[in-house]
Amino acid sequence: MKFIPIMEISSQIMTLIEEAEKEIIIVSPYVDIKNWDKLKRCLNNAIERKVAITFYIRENAKQDLEPLRQLNVKLVLIKDLHAKIYLNETYGIVSSQNLIQYSDINSIDFGYSTETEEERDKLVKLINKYLSKTKTVEQSFPEKIIVAKIAEVKKVEEPKAKVEHKIFLTEKQLEKINKHFKDEFPKVKINSTATYVFCNRLLPFGDVMFREGFEIRFKHNIKDYTEIINILESLNFKNNHYEYKKDLKMDNGHPSSMLFIPQEVDNIYNLIDDYIFMTNTILDKTGKAVAKEMI
């Protein structure tokens, strides 16, 4: 089993979903994907590839299952479920994290991914032994059509997101970002998958993830983020190749992430130049504020 860095668990779960060709099994007592657009997109992509998806969820829990009911997935209710397992036909992930966006942003979770077919098969046997002989959602709610095909679900127009993501990088483009950042910042631990590049502590106050954009994930090692946020908000990167929209997310008064979203990208090398320039600019502009506020 291979340990998954704490801040990368959700991203590796989404990679597992993206890499599935035949089957996805998700064991998560609590599920909340209503506003988790990235994850919903991964699930929808899998559905379009005709991947069979099964969710095992906790029966005796109050939670909104409507987003799952609108997908072509099998829902199975398990009384007092506590395990969290994510599987495709190739490998699996065991984690303490529920499939909840809040956990992705705020919780401290641990996880491991299987490295051999034998390790994955052991997880499958556990699911078959303890979870498979239980009731589906349809049996719990016979008066409702719970497992619905996409074509049969009434389309509901959702409100537009605060910021519209314009690009989605390919695996080869992410490999280029990974290589250039390792060359530019050799002391930084950088991990890369088919869907993201993750730079651990690229900034003194946070990690950086490259997916739809330049995403800063703030850590809790700063007393007061006010000055740092003001600096980040003031940056316009006018000399960059592309324009960037900003999306700041807060949690109980503390910044959880800030995303710089590039617009109309047509050249990955220009984007990489922008990202390296942005990193160095942020390091330079926030240096004094970080030194003053470090815990």
Side-chain angles (χ1 to χ4, degrees), residues 7-15 195-196 209 211 217:
M7 298 297 289
E8 298 182 39
I9 295 173
S10 293
S11 295
Q12 293 212 20
I13 291 171
M14 284 186 268
T15 297
T195 58
Y196 68 89
M209 179 175 285
R211 289 189 298 190
R217 293 192 165 194

Side-chain angles (χ1 to χ4, degrees), residues 7 188-189 198-209 214-222 225 228 232 254-258 279 282-283 286 290 294:
M7 298 297 289
V188 175
K189 183 180 178 181
F198 188 87
C199 303
N200 186 45
R201 293 191 178 276
L202 179 61
L203 305 174
F205 50 84
D207 305 316
V208 173
M209 179 175 285
F214 186 112
E215 180 182 356
I216 301 172
R217 293 192 165 194
F218 296 98
K219 292 188 174 293
H220 293 266
N221 59 339
I222 298 294
Y225 267 99
I228 293 173
L232 294 175
H254 185 280
S256 57
S257 68
M258 188 168 192
T279 301
I282 291 171
L283 287 169
T286 60
V290 170
M294 286 288 286

Side-chain angles (χ1 to χ4, degrees), residues 42-58:
C42 290
L43 290 170
N44 276 312
N45 289 341
I47 290 168
E48 290 177 1
R49 297 194 304 272
K50 308 298 182 183
V51 176
I53 304 176
T54 301
F55 274 81
Y56 292 89
I57 56 180
R58 186 169 178 135

